[in-house]
Amino acid sequence: SKIRPVVFALAAAYFAFAFTGLSLGFEGHSEFLFGIGGLPDDVVASLPWVKYAEPANALSIPTWAVHFSSVFEFLFAMNLIWNFAEVTNNPRWKGLTWAMLPLHASGVAACTYHFFYNPASLQFLVDTQAGLTLLGNTCVAIAAYRIAISNGWTLSELNPLPKSSTDPDGIISDSLAVMPLNTVESDATVASLAGKLLALTLVTSYVVKYGELGLDLPFSPNGFVGTAMICSVPALTTAYFLNKSKIENGEEGFTLPFLNSDGDDKPKMSMDDVKKYGVAGTVAYVLTELAFWAVAFPVASTALYQTSGHWPDVFNDPTDRATVLGFIFAGANIARLAVPLRFGVALALAPWVDENIISRLSGGGGEEEI
């Protein structure tokens, strides 16, 4: 293969720079790719909105581009996978889109931490990113498994020593593999998608890197604002795919409560949508709420530690107890703003609950028997 030598060459170059970087003059805050694309200091200082000088650990344009491109790439990939589910008539692929949400949020968490110039007081954002990455990888693995079994794959195929080359299961799988897929002409070409990705990445990188120099917020780290930033973008992404799903099912789309153009204060997405999935939807919503409260105390405790420097003693110190409860109360009120996200998680979880919990409790009959 012609690609293999290129891959080996890039790997060799990476390891060479990793071992010889210090001897070449690179330091802890040396700019990635020599900061190509960055504006000179005198030009930055002359910008009319600039109020602050960049800290030494400010990200370069190439580093910001790496971060933002990963966020936008996930959005593009989630949409392509969703469309692939329609083309193949296999809704399990949409489960993969939903499973990618925590990973998408993880990328937003990394960008948020760098937006505040990596302060020690917001170290919990790094922990949040790690947790979201773990959750996302787990969800994606489950989604991939559901796709595999929907295509006829079984756990027996993990056996490195199959019974025979003429095993009936293998013959069936091979026959399915050669069946032609439905194809639909895409509205966008690869070149147009690459152009959009490049434009979004560069514009966002320059706007954030030099635009935040005119704001007080990045230089005054705030845990609540950082948490809101992490939640807001994934919440909008969730709302987009929920709306897309409803339209594809012939239902009326919805808007977020604060974007409702009908003049009605009632949100378009409500518990009634979850109840349409019957017992599985209700159980999924209960599990979602339990998950929120299960992480509420650890997050509140971490927030107190980051702000005061000590872990809470909720049993002996009434001040710590009140502070932790205050953090949880504040988090619960912020969570109310993410109602579409909570309902979206419940709706995404409902098929799995029906298949793995309800069906087994009812003896394999699923929702219909209940």
mmCIF file of all heavy atoms in Angstrom, residues 21 83 96 104 109 147 166 197 218 244 258 266 347:
data_model
loop_
_atom_site.group_PDB
_atom_site.id
_atom_site.type_symbol
_atom_site.label_atom_id
_atom_site.label_comp_id
_atom_site.label_asym_id
_atom_site.label_seq_id
_atom_site.Cartn_x
_atom_site.Cartn_y
_atom_site.Cartn_z
ATOM 1 N N GLY A 21 12.652 17.355 21.076
ATOM 2 C CA GLY A 21 12.030 18.680 21.080
ATOM 3 C C GLY A 21 12.759 19.691 21.936
ATOM 4 O O GLY A 21 13.001 20.828 21.523
ATOM 5 N N ASN A 83 -28.207 10.565 8.609
ATOM 6 C CA ASN A 83 -28.695 10.401 7.241
ATOM 7 C C ASN A 83 -28.453 8.980 6.737
ATOM 8 O O ASN A 83 -29.259 8.436 5.970
ATOM 9 C CB ASN A 83 -28.015 11.408 6.308
ATOM 10 C CG ASN A 83 -28.410 12.836 6.637
ATOM 11 O OD1 ASN A 83 -29.469 13.088 7.226
ATOM 12 N ND2 ASN A 83 -27.567 13.782 6.267
ATOM 13 N N LEU A 96 -26.226 5.676 17.268
ATOM 14 C CA LEU A 96 -24.815 6.067 17.286
ATOM 15 C C LEU A 96 -24.678 7.582 17.327
ATOM 16 O O LEU A 96 -23.790 8.120 18.004
ATOM 17 C CB LEU A 96 -24.098 5.499 16.060
ATOM 18 C CG LEU A 96 -22.603 5.806 15.931
ATOM 19 C CD1 LEU A 96 -21.839 5.319 17.148
ATOM 20 C CD2 LEU A 96 -22.028 5.187 14.660
ATOM 21 N N HIS A 104 -19.080 14.794 21.987
ATOM 22 C CA HIS A 104 -19.216 16.163 21.493
ATOM 23 C C HIS A 104 -19.112 17.152 22.655
ATOM 24 O O HIS A 104 -18.398 18.170 22.569
ATOM 25 C CB HIS A 104 -20.564 16.297 20.786
ATOM 26 C CG HIS A 104 -20.972 17.701 20.472
ATOM 27 N ND1 HIS A 104 -20.169 18.572 19.760
ATOM 28 C CD2 HIS A 104 -22.095 18.399 20.776
ATOM 29 C CE1 HIS A 104 -20.787 19.734 19.639
ATOM 30 N NE2 HIS A 104 -21.941 19.655 20.257
ATOM 31 N N ALA A 109 -16.051 20.931 26.399
ATOM 32 C CA ALA A 109 -15.442 21.137 27.715
ATOM 33 C C ALA A 109 -13.982 21.544 27.591
ATOM 34 O O ALA A 109 -13.501 22.428 28.312
ATOM 35 C CB ALA A 109 -15.568 19.864 28.559
ATOM 36 N N ILE A 147 -25.801 -1.884 16.473
ATOM 37 C CA ILE A 147 -25.771 -1.882 15.005
ATOM 38 C C ILE A 147 -25.320 -3.242 14.488
ATOM 39 O O ILE A 147 -25.878 -3.787 13.520
ATOM 40 C CB ILE A 147 -24.839 -0.767 14.491
ATOM 41 C CG1 ILE A 147 -25.419 0.609 14.818
ATOM 42 C CG2 ILE A 147 -24.628 -0.892 12.981
ATOM 43 C CD1 ILE A 147 -24.467 1.753 14.544
ATOM 44 N N THR A 166 -17.903 -23.643 6.379
ATOM 45 C CA THR A 166 -19.245 -23.743 5.796
ATOM 46 C C THR A 166 -20.326 -23.635 6.856
ATOM 47 O O THR A 166 -21.409 -24.184 6.721
ATOM 48 C CB THR A 166 -19.396 -25.081 5.047
ATOM 49 O OG1 THR A 166 -19.155 -26.155 5.974
ATOM 50 C CG2 THR A 166 -18.431 -25.178 3.886
ATOM 51 N N LEU A 197 -15.963 23.033 6.853
ATOM 52 C CA LEU A 197 -15.202 22.710 8.058
ATOM 53 C C LEU A 197 -14.019 23.650 8.218
ATOM 54 O O LEU A 197 -13.766 24.171 9.314
ATOM 55 C CB LEU A 197 -14.719 21.262 7.998
ATOM 56 C CG LEU A 197 -13.815 20.798 9.138
ATOM 57 C CD1 LEU A 197 -14.554 20.889 10.467
ATOM 58 C CD2 LEU A 197 -13.322 19.379 8.897
ATOM 59 N N PRO A 218 -12.991 35.857 30.444
ATOM 60 C CA PRO A 218 -11.913 34.855 30.395
ATOM 61 C C PRO A 218 -10.848 35.060 31.469
ATOM 62 O O PRO A 218 -10.142 34.106 31.832
ATOM 63 C CB PRO A 218 -11.315 35.049 28.993
ATOM 64 C CG PRO A 218 -12.393 35.716 28.206
ATOM 65 C CD PRO A 218 -13.110 36.587 29.176
ATOM 66 N N LYS A 244 -35.325 17.132 14.188
ATOM 67 C CA LYS A 244 -35.178 16.414 12.922
ATOM 68 C C LYS A 244 -35.921 15.086 12.969
ATOM 69 O O LYS A 244 -36.569 14.680 11.989
ATOM 70 C CB LYS A 244 -33.685 16.184 12.651
ATOM 71 C CG LYS A 244 -33.380 15.671 11.255
ATOM 72 C CD LYS A 244 -31.879 15.674 11.007
ATOM 73 C CE LYS A 244 -31.588 15.264 9.565
ATOM 74 N NZ LYS A 244 -30.149 15.321 9.248
ATOM 75 N N PHE A 258 -37.067 29.115 25.068
ATOM 76 C CA PHE A 258 -36.691 30.511 24.935
ATOM 77 C C PHE A 258 -36.588 30.938 23.475
ATOM 78 O O PHE A 258 -36.317 32.086 23.179
ATOM 79 C CB PHE A 258 -35.349 30.779 25.634
ATOM 80 C CG PHE A 258 -34.274 29.792 25.289
ATOM 81 C CD1 PHE A 258 -33.497 29.961 24.162
ATOM 82 C CD2 PHE A 258 -34.059 28.687 26.099
ATOM 83 C CE1 PHE A 258 -32.506 29.057 23.851
ATOM 84 C CE2 PHE A 258 -33.066 27.780 25.792
ATOM 85 C CZ PHE A 258 -32.287 27.964 24.664
ATOM 86 N N LYS A 266 -45.461 27.294 26.879
ATOM 87 C CA LYS A 266 -45.313 25.853 27.062
ATOM 88 C C LYS A 266 -44.251 25.313 26.108
ATOM 89 O O LYS A 266 -44.316 25.570 24.902
ATOM 90 C CB LYS A 266 -46.638 25.161 26.784
ATOM 91 C CG LYS A 266 -46.583 23.643 27.011
ATOM 92 C CD LYS A 266 -47.929 23.016 26.724
ATOM 93 C CE LYS A 266 -47.883 21.517 26.921
ATOM 94 N NZ LYS A 266 -49.190 20.874 26.638
ATOM 95 N N LEU A 347 -35.426 9.774 25.553
ATOM 96 C CA LEU A 347 -35.925 9.210 24.295
ATOM 97 C C LEU A 347 -34.886 8.316 23.644
ATOM 98 O O LEU A 347 -35.216 7.269 23.069
ATOM 99 C CB LEU A 347 -36.324 10.343 23.341
ATOM 100 C CG LEU A 347 -37.565 11.149 23.739
ATOM 101 C CD1 LEU A 347 -37.766 12.310 22.777
ATOM 102 C CD2 LEU A 347 -38.798 10.265 23.750
#
